[in-house]
Amino acid sequence: MSDSTADTGKAAAKAVAAAVRPGQPGQQALGLLARAGKQAGFVGAAIGVVAAGAAAGVAVERMTVGREIRRKARLALDAAGPYGTLRGEPGLAVAEDGTALYYETEEIDAGAQGGTNGMHKALGGLFRRGGSDAPLTVVFSHGYCLNQDAWHFQRAALRGHVRAVYWDQRSHGRSERGHAQIDGSPATIDQLGRDLKAVIDAAAPEGPLVLAGHSMGGMTIMALADQFPELVAERVAGVFFAGTSTGKLAAVSLGLPAVGARAFRALAPGLLRALGSQADLVERGRRATADLFAGVVKRYSFGSDDVDPGVARLAERMIESTPIDVVAEFYPAFTEHEKAESLAALDGRPALVMAGDKDLLTPSEHSVAIAERLSACELVVVPDAGHLVMLEYPELVNGHLAALLARVADEVRAPLPDAVRELGAAAASEIAEAAGA
């Protein structure tokens, strides 16, 4: 271990100590981390490098803002903030292992059809799948430790205009804890692909599909394409990938120095298993150290400094609501994920790939690699954006997504309200102006 890495780990430990009062559950949880680190060797430095900046910021904040004030501020944001409050018609799909998968459907308002471009409205019936005139449906799959509310701004922009399905992946959000995982089987990306198939069968059994996936959700789409190429060939008319990867995630540095990254990759699975085995204790510790972990969440979620506090709090809530044992059981699946070849099943369809240039979890190079395999793809790398690009720059994402839906609608001759086309046209105009500047 280098002296600089050891010093960073020591600095992190001091900052963490300042951020957690003696005798609190948070200190007990951190004690568990320390014991695991003692056994593992490098883990203190690895975790320290991750947490140092955030923990130091929290320690400084403690000198100026009281704990109770911060707690009340979080509660106020939760109560007043509209983010993550949109709800649709609920439904349940059943996975192959019996897990109930929760989804919500947003239907097209009757008035929105009146605003549909006349030619496309007349041609809508020409695209028939399974003998049906079912409308275009967009199916949104969220990422690791999140839930369907991660798509809040896209939902707000499209609701009433486009038929959409939002679902919670197994063990996340309102979906059941995975039955297979309760029985001791590992969580896999392939299993998530089969879950997505179950949701499609239940919520969108007919008509053309656009599949949208962020991070783990994008990997879920790749797993679907790999296992159900016939479904993709027959029904998938377009795809949107945000902040995701086809594989090689074991090589991602997470913004750490090389030695810290190697140590973290080697030790994280065992450490998470240890924490998962003490879930009750760790959950109490997470609540007690909310300030510290809010800083870590912000660092790994966003790339800019001026994120709306309500949006940042939405990200915290989603991650806080994911039990530590679920975090632990899903983590190994990412190092095993290798699905580059599955993109061949999606090639030729209109596609949109977006990434933040400051994404530390799935660096933008991974999105570039995806775009290179999709011949009809628009690639957008967003400056100063992190992993949650659809929450950090919603207007930009919404405009590009609307443009994709317009491309898909033209391709399959499906109706699409003028409001969506205008949103996409505005994004295209801004791109053209930027290119000419």
Side-chain angles (χ1 to χ4, degrees):
M1 185 188 305
S2 68
D3 291 341
S4 61
T5 302
D7 290 343
T8 306
K10 291 176 183 177
K14 290 179 180 178
V16 170
V20 183
R21 295 178 181 174
Q24 289 183 327
Q27 191 181 56
Q28 292 178 283
L30 289 170
L32 179 63
L33 281 170
R35 289 193 297 276
K38 204 168 185 180
Q39 297 170 1
F42 284 109
V43 72
I47 297 298
V49 176
V50 174
V58 170
V60 171
E61 183 188 9
R62 282 197 179 283
M63 295 187 289
T64 57
V65 183
R67 170 185 291 275
E68 184 62 17
I69 293 175
R70 292 193 303 274
R71 186 186 71 82
K72 288 181 178 179
R74 288 195 298 272
L75 291 175
L77 286 172
D78 290 346
Y83 308 131
T85 60
L86 302 179
R87 302 270 66 90
E89 184 65 28
L92 291 176
V94 180
E96 61 186 6
D97 64 346
T99 301
L101 304 170
Y102 178 84
Y103 65 84
E104 294 179 359
T105 305
E106 299 270 8
E107 300 291 349
I108 301 172
D109 290 343
Q113 291 286 21
T116 302
N117 179 282
M119 179 185 71
H120 288 88
K121 185 175 181 181
L123 292 173
L126 295 179
F127 185 74
R128 303 174 64 88
R129 294 297 193 196
S132 169
D133 293 330
L136 180 70
T137 299
V138 188
V139 182
F140 290 87
S141 301
H142 67 79
Y144 178 48
C145 297
L146 303 175
N147 60 52
Q148 61 179 268
D149 293 337
W151 299 105
H152 173 86
F153 292 106
Q154 292 65 53
R155 189 171 194 160
L158 297 179
R159 68 183 335 204
H161 299 297
V162 175
R163 187 174 193 274
V165 175
Y166 304 85
W167 70 292
D168 294 333
Q169 302 235 38
R170 66 172 50 223
S171 303
H172 292 70
R174 293 173 172 83
S175 287
E176 277 191 326
R177 182 70 183 275
H179 289 191
Q181 284 65 61
I182 293 173
D183 293 338
S185 296
T188 67
I189 302 299
D190 282 342
Q191 185 176 52
L192 300 183
R194 296 190 292 274
D195 288 351
L196 176 55
K197 172 65 160 54
V199 170
I200 290 172
D201 289 345
E206 298 177 321
L209 301 169
V210 173
L211 302 181
H214 168 250
S215 191
M216 183 176 76
M219 301 175 202
T220 299
I221 293 171
M222 296 175 204
L224 174 85
D226 187 47
Q227 297 171 94
F228 303 100
E230 299 84 1
L231 170 68
V232 172
E234 182 181 353
R235 297 190 54 206
V236 175
V239 64
F240 169 37
F241 290 123
T244 191
S245 173
T246 62
K248 297 181 172 60
L249 289 169
V252 174
S253 72
L254 303 175
L256 302 174
V259 65
R262 288 195 299 271
F264 185 86
R265 288 196 298 268
L267 299 168
L271 176 61
L272 286 171
R273 283 196 300 272
L275 295 175
S277 69
Q278 300 288 332
D280 291 342
L281 173 62
V282 173
E283 293 303 333
R284 292 198 300 273
R286 287 170 80 181
R287 291 191 294 272
T289 57
D291 296 332
L292 169 62
F293 288 101
V296 176
V297 168
K298 186 173 182 180
R299 170 170 168 74
Y300 283 94
S301 298
F302 307 108
S304 54
D305 295 327
D306 58 348
V307 177
D308 182 332
V311 172
R313 180 60 189 150
L314 170 61
E316 292 170 25
R317 285 203 313 271
M318 288 188 288
I319 294 171
E320 287 170 358
S321 69
T322 308
I324 188 64
D325 43 351
V326 172
V327 177
E329 69 193 20
F330 273 78
Y331 179 82
F334 300 114
T335 59
E336 298 171 4
H337 168 67
E338 295 292 340
K339 285 286 186 290
E341 298 304 320
S342 72
L343 294 177
L346 297 164
D347 188 27
R349 291 161 177 74
L352 169 64
V353 176
M354 298 191 74
D357 71 346
K358 293 185 177 179
D359 189 338
L360 299 176
L361 299 179
T362 52
S364 58
E365 291 83 0
H366 290 236
S367 289
V368 172
I370 293 172
E372 289 174 347
R373 289 177 173 266
L374 300 174
S375 57
C377 178
E378 178 192 12
L379 171 66
V380 181
V381 178
V382 184
D384 296 321
H387 191 57
L388 299 184
V389 61
M390 68 284 190
L391 288 176
E392 191 170 9
Y393 291 94
E395 293 182 359
L396 180 65
V397 173
N398 291 350
H400 284 283
L401 176 57
L404 171 68
L405 295 180
R407 289 171 59 199
V408 171
D410 291 342
E411 186 89 9
V412 302
R413 299 181 178 181
L416 189 71
D418 289 339
V420 180
R421 291 184 174 277
E422 290 166 3
L423 181 60
S429 177
E430 290 181 6
I431 294 170
E433 289 180 9

